[in-house]
Amino acid sequence: MCTFVVYSYKYVHEDKRVSYPLCLIFSSPLVVGCKPEQQMMYAGSKTRLVQIANLTKVFEIRNTEDLTEEWLLQKLSFFR
């Protein structure tokens, strides 16, 4: 089952500026035997959500146990 999370996070830049990025975290566990139609439906839903919400930061994770603050900080550090 796929999960979509739109998340706003307080991010303090190295120069002390503060921003609140709005990002999409898309959880898509690998499911053995998942039909291609379902995979396409989830991908299409994700694309449409990104367009409607005007999201620029999209992160995908396979295992929700890997979703930690450290993981998120590492992903957001790319956007300094």
Side-chain angles (χ1 to χ4, degrees):
M1 175 180 207
C2 292
T3 305
F4 301 99
V5 176
V6 178
Y7 186 69
S8 179
Y9 190 87
K10 180 179 179 180
Y11 187 76
V12 180
H13 299 263
E14 289 180 358
D15 62 0
K16 306 298 182 209
R17 289 178 297 121
V18 176
S19 62
Y20 295 88
L22 192 60
C23 59
L24 173 68
I25 302 170
F26 174 65
S27 171
S28 172
L30 294 173
V31 179
V32 177
C34 185
K35 296 179 181 180
E37 297 84 16
Q38 288 176 313
Q39 293 174 354
M40 290 175 62
M41 180 184 68
Y42 290 133
S45 298
K46 178 183 80 170
T47 301
R48 188 69 181 134
L49 178 59
V50 168
Q51 291 171 344
I52 290 171
N54 198 25
L55 300 169
T56 56
K57 297 165 183 64
V58 179
F59 308 120
E60 188 167 349
I61 193 164
R62 295 288 181 189
N63 184 352
T64 55
E65 291 177 3
D66 295 336
L67 180 57
T68 63
E69 185 175 11
E70 291 82 22
W71 176 87
L72 184 59
L73 287 172
Q74 184 268 331
K75 293 295 184 182
L76 291 175
S77 69
F78 176 81
F79 296 100
R80 290 185 188 172

